Amino acid sequence: MRLRRVTLLRSSFMTDAAALAAIHAAAFDNTRAWSADEIASLLDSRLTFVIHQPEGFALGRAVADEVELLTLAVHPAARRQGHARALLLAFEDESENRGAARAYLEVAQDNIAALALYKAAGYQTTGTRPAYYRHKDGSQIAASLMEKALN
């Protein structure tokens, strides 16, 4: 599997942001998905970067020696094929290239697959944000705060 690292250019924000938003909506169908405008706004910052392949993407923001994984989304039709793991590894590589020594993320506590992915990759739970995510039915779920030292 070959991953492409892409930093979106201003002229292509909306086209690429729309594709990313479609993947995000499919991947997170039980919550409010990010719109193309929201993704484009994030990508407007020189601190934000995206790693993507046709099946999914990882969006991060690096500041000083820290990086936050803002979202990692894989289309449901492509799950359980190693795409999330490959995207996470590419995200970490790019984070290190940008000078990050530590990575942070938040994940819904009911997202068992993502929790397993992050734990297997060496992330450790450091805290909880109660009622952080809201499902479409109005129910709320806590977020686990996780972090990892990058090599």
Side-chain angles (χ1 to χ4, degrees):
M1 172 182 359
R2 190 167 163 238
L3 293 180
R4 294 175 289 155
R5 288 190 179 104
V6 178
T7 302
L8 300 177
L9 304 173
R10 284 187 193 276
S11 62
S12 63
F13 271 171
M14 291 314 296
T15 303
D16 292 322
L20 298 177
I23 292 170
H24 196 270
F28 297 101
D29 65 345
N30 194 27
T31 61
R32 187 189 74 76
W34 293 358
S35 71
D37 287 342
E38 289 169 318
I39 291 173
S41 179
L42 286 167
L43 291 171
D44 197 23
S45 169
R46 65 177 176 74
L47 303 174
T48 307
F49 63 97
V50 64
I51 307 295
H52 77 87
Q53 59 186 25
E55 298 81 9
F57 70 98
L59 183 64
R61 180 174 34 224
V63 179
D65 65 345
E66 297 179 348
V67 68
E68 180 182 9
L69 178 62
L70 299 172
T71 193
L72 192 156
V74 173
H75 194 281
R79 288 186 179 152
R80 305 205 48 85
Q81 298 174 28
H83 298 296
R85 183 175 316 277
L87 287 165
L88 183 60
L89 290 173
F91 163 81
E92 291 175 353
D93 286 346
E94 179 61 21
S95 297
E96 289 182 56
N97 290 340
R98 290 170 175 259
R102 191 152 211 84
Y104 298 89
L105 61 88
E106 295 159 341
V107 60
Q109 289 184 342
D110 64 350
N111 191 339
I112 305 304
L115 285 165
L117 170 70
Y118 299 135
K119 286 181 184 176
Y123 287 80
Q124 296 188 356
T125 302
T126 58
T128 301
R129 290 188 198 272
Y132 187 73
Y133 293 104
R134 181 183 304 275
H135 292 167
K136 286 183 178 176
D137 68 3
S139 63
Q140 295 179 321
I141 189 75
S144 289
L145 306 174
M146 302 182 84
E147 67 179 78
K148 173 184 178 177
L150 300 174
N151 296 330

